[in-house]
Amino acid sequence: MSKFEYLRLADAIAAEIAGGALKPGDRLPPQRSFAYERKIAVSTASRVYTELLRRGLVVGEVGRGTFISGDVRRGIAPSPEAHGARIDMEFNYPLLPQQAAMIAKSLQGLERTEALEAALRPSTSTGTQAVRQVSAAFLARKTWSPGAEQIVFTANGRQCIAAALAALVPPGGRCGVEALTYPFIKGIAVRLGVTLVPLAMDEHGVRPDAVQKAHREAHLTALYLQPTIQNPLGITMPAARRADLLRVVEKLDLTIIEDTVYGFLDDEPPLAALSPDRCIVLDSLSKKVAPGLALGFIVSPLRLREIIMASVRSGGWTASGYAFAAGQRLMGDGTVSELTRLKRIDAARRQQMAAKLLAGFEIQANAKAYHLWLTLPPHWRSQTFVAAAARRDIALTPSTTFAVAPGHAPNAVRLALGAPTLEQLETGLRALSGILIAKEEDFDATE
């Protein structure tokens, strides 16, 4: 067998995984059996399995078998599609039973000919004066009131990140990010040619001294942070840390790209309230309303507004006229505010359920958040645990998905609590608790 044929075999297995013939948690045959079935040498089978392991498509331990990974997506960013698992604790889009009726009521009349004609016209990155004013009023909280002239729109939150990063950081530049961060920024950075620099964190969020250290080693252009209900750890940065961080940012002449997508679950104002000229605030309607009614907001210092607008235009990230029309109605009539109120109650209830059913395990949670961080017992590894959960029709996200530096992921998983029904969530949490307490001698059966 030529040295390239083992790669073709690995590609064939990868194709079966991508096509769904092999699913997360499925066990591959022992290497000797695989070699016999494929009429290849055992050493070649070993090379095939090693290649699959290198690609992150399988997990396994000696004597315990090889399983299709719970995170079978190739590349560094998660798929935007759920895997179709019965209990989805992977994708964090909270949907309330009553929200479709609330949205439908708000959008009544938008199907009329004259309203639809206006909504289907070409749009720009700045929308209309009316939608800017409604958005500015809606986004304001406590000590922060953005001006309507500061707002630039995109079609969703991920496009906000891409537009801001493209505007601030040139190809080959460096952007500091939390060591565990929102996964999609990794793929965005690769496409833009931007290097992400992981910044050490503690219980209060990013450490200011880590920013200084990273900047000394090689110049940073910007920071991408989630100061409120951080994903995946749920940390909300306290006032003292915010002040210390902004002092460092000012000293180093940096700009913060501040992602506030989970900020609707808390009353904490953004960092921009303390340093409006140093912060670009990002937000969207995807979590507050629904992913199918997304509209992204970039609140920029006026000095950066033109370059942000140019970035949105060149990236093709302008929102549709229908998204503007729907968003203006939903924000203007109070529907989004009421959904926010109800989702805060819902998130708190789900966190209480998780705290009760996972009592005794090491979890890091924010009582206001729709997700939590579960540190695994020593006999479980992140990928293996995700694969075991997948075989019970529960989708989770391993820590490797969030880690910026390869090989530096803690032994943990993130649980997204928003998508399942309450009944599904209870069932899933009870099942996970059972997997966690599996004894070593039960490991093979649980695996």
Side-chain angles (χ1 to χ4, degrees), residues 324-398:
F324 279 121
Q328 184 174 337
R329 282 171 173 252
L330 290 162
M331 290 184 286
D333 67 8
T335 299
V336 185
S337 295
E338 179 61 10
L339 284 172
T340 294
R341 185 187 72 82
L342 293 173
K343 288 187 178 184
R344 286 186 175 195
I345 295 170
D346 183 56
R349 182 179 180 183
R350 290 166 184 266
Q351 285 287 351
Q352 291 167 2
M353 179 187 292
K356 177 181 178 181
L357 296 177
L358 297 177
F361 301 107
E362 187 179 347
I363 62 173
Q364 180 173 331
N366 184 320
K368 300 177 180 180
Y370 265 115
H371 58 270
L372 62 82
W373 190 248
L374 171 65
T375 298
L376 300 173
H379 62 275
W380 280 111
R381 293 186 305 167
S382 175
Q383 289 276 11
T384 316
F385 185 80
V386 170
R391 295 213 307 282
R392 287 153 180 78
D393 293 326
I394 303 170
L396 309 174
T397 312

Side-chain angles (χ1 to χ4, degrees), residues 10-304:
D11 289 341
I13 300 298
E16 291 182 36
I17 295 171
L22 290 172
K23 297 179 174 58
D26 285 354
R27 186 195 294 264
L28 290 181
Q31 292 182 19
R32 288 187 179 278
S33 298
F34 181 85
Y36 179 79
E37 293 169 2
R38 304 288 176 136
K39 296 181 173 56
I40 58 176
V42 174
S43 60
T44 303
S46 178
R47 296 183 73 182
V48 173
Y49 278 44
T50 299
E51 176 64 17
L52 294 172
L53 182 64
R54 185 191 68 78
R55 298 184 191 183
L57 297 176
V58 300
V59 294
E61 296 183 21
V62 175
R64 292 174 177 167
T66 301
F67 302 92
I68 304 303
S69 170
D71 184 23
V72 299
R73 297 147 296 182
R74 297 190 59 179
I76 55 179
S79 165
E81 303 290 341
H83 293 162
R86 183 172 61 86
I87 301 178
D88 180 9
M89 300 173 73
E90 179 180 17
F91 290 87
N92 215 11
Y93 289 105
L95 301 173
L96 303 176
Q98 67 269 44
Q99 74 177 52
M102 294 171 63
I103 294 168
K105 181 179 179 181
S106 177
L107 298 185
Q108 280 179 356
L110 191 54
E111 78 283 358
R112 292 200 305 264
T113 302
E114 64 275 16
L116 201 55
E117 281 181 349
L120 296 180
R121 290 172 185 161
S123 56
T124 69
S125 63
T126 56
T128 64
Q129 179 65 20
V131 76
R132 288 197 302 274
Q133 289 176 336
V134 168
S135 300
F138 171 74
L139 293 171
R141 57 181 91 136
K142 277 190 176 179
T143 56
W144 184 64
S145 297
E149 70 281 3
Q150 294 179 258
I151 299 178
V152 178
F153 299 93
T154 70
N156 58 52
R158 292 193 294 274
Q159 292 182 3
C160 287
I161 296 172
L165 197 63
L168 290 183
V169 187
R174 287 160 47 92
C175 178
V177 297
E178 293 138 333
L180 296 169
T181 190
Y182 175 54
F184 270 100
I185 194 175
K186 297 192 285 184
I188 291 168
V190 168
R191 289 190 290 274
L192 294 176
V194 171
T195 298
L196 298 182
V197 181
L199 303 172
M201 306 172 69
D202 60 20
E203 69 274 16
H204 300 309
V206 161
R207 290 168 24 197
D209 65 311
V211 177
Q212 291 178 305
K213 180 176 182 293
H215 192 71
R216 279 197 308 269
E217 292 173 350
H219 179 78
L220 297 176
T221 304
L223 305 178
Y224 167 82
L225 304 175
Q226 290 183 315
T228 304
I229 309 187
Q230 194 262 356
N231 181 20
L233 300 178
I235 297 169
T236 292
M237 196 178 286
R241 175 56 57 84
R242 290 172 182 243
D244 290 344
L245 177 65
L246 288 171
R247 277 194 291 270
V248 169
V249 166
E250 179 73 29
K251 178 182 176 182
L252 300 179
D253 192 25
L254 299 175
T255 300
I256 296 177
I257 300 170
E258 182 179 5
D259 189 339
T260 63
V261 69
Y262 287 110
F264 75 100
L265 296 169
D266 200 312
D267 292 324
E268 190 67 41
L271 293 171
L274 299 174
S275 186
D277 200 49
R278 289 285 168 188
C279 300
I280 296 175
V281 178
L282 313 183
D283 208 337
S284 82
L285 293 182
S286 61
K287 309 290 187 187
K288 301 177 184 67
V289 183
L293 271 174
L295 180 65
F297 310 92
I298 303 176
V299 183
S300 168
L302 291 179
R303 66 182 175 87
L304 296 173

